[in-house]
Amino acid sequence: MEPELALPDLPGNTSIVGLQWGDEGKGKIVDLLTPQFDFAIRWNGGSNAGHSVKVGDKKYAFHLIPSGILHPQCTSVLANGVVIDPVQLLQEMDQLVSQGIAVENNLRISSQAHVVMPYHKLQDQLSEQRLGDNKIGTTARGIGPCYADKAGRSMAIRMADLLDETRLGEKLQRVTAEKNLLLKGVYGAAAFDWESMFEQYRGYGQLLQPYVCHTSALLHRAMDDNKRMLFEGANAVLLDLDHGTFPFVTSSNCGTGLSAGTGVPAQAVQTVLGVVKAYCSRVGSGPFPTEQDNAIGQRIRERGHEFGTTTGRPRRCGFLDLVALRYAARVCGVTGLCIMLLDVLSTFDTLRVCTSYKINGQTTTEFPADAYELEKAEPVYKELAGWHETLDDVRALADLPTNARNYLDTIAHYVNVPIRIVSVGPARHQTLICPAR
Ligand code: IMP
């Protein structure tokens, strides 16, 4: 029996963000910390995100619902910034109920959240097919087209619309006519029938109605009552629509959009934990300066089981990029780092971390604003001695091999942010808590 983990003492409300290209292991950190919180809030993205949580011998897969749902004291919120596919959401809710988790009292969905419709998913797939070599490599979950309709306004459907039959019918009739022009005319796809979609989505509205509310007001009341909030960012900073490697990004402000996505002001968040892998991985297209498209990348992929949770795609793997990491940490004001999957790096004789880029013959430690510039970046590495010991049974920082500690110190020093948590395996007890600086 492992002793109970002494969790870090985090002041106030806490935000958790991924600092690379996603899949950093945010799920484990969120799950560890949730027992300290009254609210777990998702504020961006949709079912493009995904993680699974293991509790005892039970495994739970989440794409939309915050894993806070596993803790009865915690209210899980899908805030206004999330784009919701009701088919996926209802499937997750059913799965939870069949596993004995009650959702009726502790799940709340924003009436302002936008709905991912069937034509969004089709549009995502057809657009990617048509782009061929220029494709973004999306998860095909309709995320981009749904956010595009949100920004375009006239064709958007929000959760509140699903609850109002008259409004839903009027909107679907109008929107479907226009979508069919695009889908048939540009892509040669079959037309959508608005009436059958209306029947289906009206039904979803009825099922979800008990959960839908004004979540910003709910969170404001929570603030008045000094309730503690954990904000769970989906995707990651380098996929941020404004601050990531545009256009190879997702369609939400996944590093910077907490306030817009919740209605909670930034100053209400006192702790920002940045979750980062001890190396880098990326799915989909786009620049990745430290990528190792070779035996090293293959070895990291196998040791780290680097295959997508949402799509099953093999992830591109490479060395840790400190230039990108420092940039990402600054963009979202990270106050502490969580270093994940350190165990994956055991067995390497030497390791490399990227400390600057060479672009057009110039050396820089600044992350370029333009992905096409980043494409030209040649990484300049610092070489560090590796370690051969397995870290599976390490339970304290002091018990890490010296070279693993040096590796961590190099990261904290370069990024100038203290490390608060180090993960050396998937299990809860394979977590090292670092003292606050
Ligand atoms: P979309 O979000 O499906 O439009 O995909 C846009 C890009 O973001 C693609 O490269 C995806 O692979 C990537 N992406 C979106 N969400 C995640 C995530 O949670 N983890 C890793 N990559 C993601």
Side-chain angles (χ1 to χ4, degrees):
M1 185 79 173
E2 292 287 339
E4 196 43 44
L5 195 66
L7 292 168
D9 188 19
L10 304 170
N13 298 317
T14 294
S15 151
I16 294 183
V17 283
L19 293 182
Q20 295 159 316
W21 284 286
D23 312 310
E24 294 90 352
K26 295 179 289 286
K28 173 171 171 177
I29 299 299
V30 168
D31 194 53
L32 276 177
L33 300 180
T34 305
Q36 302 180 17
F37 291 88
D38 304 299
F39 285 83
I41 304 140
R42 256 292 291 273
W43 49 269
N44 75 297
S47 41
N48 52 353
H51 66 263
S52 47
V53 176
K54 234 181 133 195
V55 183
D57 56 357
K58 283 191 177 168
K59 201 169 171 190
Y60 304 90
F62 298 101
H63 291 284
L64 279 166
I65 301 180
S67 58
I69 199 81
L70 299 177
H71 303 270
Q73 95 295 345
C74 185
T75 301
S76 288
V77 178
L78 292 174
N80 59 280
V82 181
V83 286
I84 296 176
D85 176 354
V87 182
Q88 174 68 38
L89 177 58
L90 287 162
Q91 206 174 306
E92 271 177 45
M93 290 164 69
D94 282 350
Q95 193 208 358
L96 284 166
V97 171
S98 74
Q99 289 174 298
I101 306 290
V103 291
E104 62 273 15
N105 292 327
N106 55 358
L107 175 65
R108 292 292 171 264
I109 302 165
S110 171
S111 55
Q112 295 162 303
H114 285 246
V115 181
V116 178
M117 300 296 290
Y119 45 76
H120 290 137
K121 291 187 262 189
L122 184 65
Q123 215 179 317
D124 198 352
Q125 289 156 24
L126 294 173
S127 152
E128 285 280 277
Q129 275 165 25
R130 198 175 152 85
L131 282 165
D133 286 347
N134 293 316
K135 71 177 181 198
I136 290 166
T138 71
T139 59
R141 302 298 162 108
I143 307 299
C146 182
Y147 277 118
D149 279 348
K150 174 178 177 175
R153 295 153 295 164
S154 60
M155 294 214 275
I157 309 246
R158 308 210 289 185
M159 285 306 300
D161 299 323
L162 293 193
L163 310 187
D164 180 331
E165 289 189 12
T166 313
R167 207 199 302 174
L168 181 66
E170 179 280 318
K171 279 200 173 183
L172 273 183
Q173 199 170 354
R174 181 169 51 77
V175 172
T176 310
E178 199 159 330
K179 289 286 176 189
N180 282 340
L181 284 177
L182 170 82
L183 292 168
K184 269 173 68 182
V186 176
Y187 300 110
F192 277 95
D193 167 36
W194 81 266
E195 278 170 308
S196 56
M197 209 169 6
F198 169 69
E199 283 308 321
Q200 199 183 353
Y201 280 75
R202 177 174 66 164
Y204 295 150
Q206 285 164 355
L207 290 171
L208 293 173
Q209 190 267 336
Y211 305 89
V212 176
C213 69
H214 186 350
T215 53
S216 309
L218 174 76
L219 297 177
H220 295 159
R221 287 197 298 276
M223 284 161 69
D224 290 344
D225 295 341
N226 288 322
K227 298 289 185 197
R228 295 196 64 202
M229 300 190 262
L230 181 72
F231 296 92
E232 198 179 311
N235 324 122
V237 183
L238 300 179
L239 293 171
D240 185 288
L241 182 59
D242 280 270
H243 302 284
T245 52
F246 190 90
F248 305 104
V249 293
T250 189
S251 300
S252 67
N253 282 118
C254 31
T256 54
L258 188 153
S259 292
T262 57
V264 172
Q267 67 268 30
V269 180
Q270 287 77 25
T271 302
V272 182
L273 290 181
V275 186
V276 49
K277 274 180 192 174
Y279 49 91
C280 281
S281 75
R282 168 161 213 175
V283 280
S285 320
F288 178 179
T290 60
E291 180 170 16
Q292 297 299 300
D293 190 11
N294 54 30
I296 297 174
Q298 177 70 14
R299 194 160 148 205
I300 297 175
R301 185 176 310 113
E302 277 163 17
R303 288 187 55 81
H305 311 292
E306 292 291 354
F307 298 89
T309 338
T310 301
T311 59
R313 290 182 285 182
R315 296 180 185 139
R316 302 157 63 192
C317 294
F319 291 123
L320 184 61
D321 184 340
L322 291 177
V323 178
L325 180 60
R326 179 164 58 189
Y327 164 78
R330 283 179 172 175
V331 163
C332 41
V334 163
T335 59
L337 294 170
C338 306
I339 311 287
M340 313 304 287
L341 293 139
L342 186 65
D343 51 302
V344 171
L345 296 184
S346 290
T347 76
F348 283 84
D349 289 333
T350 52
L351 291 164
R352 291 170 148 204
V353 290
C354 170
T355 52
S356 60
Y357 300 143
K358 234 182 188 167
I359 304 176
N360 299 328
Q362 303 280 323
T363 303
T364 179
T365 53
E366 288 216 341
F367 191 73
D370 181 15
Y372 299 94
E373 276 293 291
L374 185 65
E375 197 87 67
K376 295 189 234 158
E378 291 168 45
V380 178
Y381 288 112
K382 176 174 178 165
E383 198 154 285
L384 298 166
W387 61 92
H388 285 264
E389 299 90 327
T390 164
L391 306 186
D392 292 4
D393 298 321
V394 174
R395 297 290 173 269
L397 276 184
D399 298 334
L400 282 172
T402 310
N403 291 344
R405 277 206 311 251
N406 284 345
Y407 190 81
L408 295 175
D409 289 345
T410 305
I411 300 172
H413 185 257
Y414 190 100
V415 182
N416 196 23
V417 173
I419 296 175
R420 300 302 314 272
I421 295 176
V422 177
S423 175
V424 293
R428 189 182 168 86
H429 59 262
Q430 291 175 305
T431 310
L432 320 180
I433 306 298
C434 313
R437 196 164 64 179

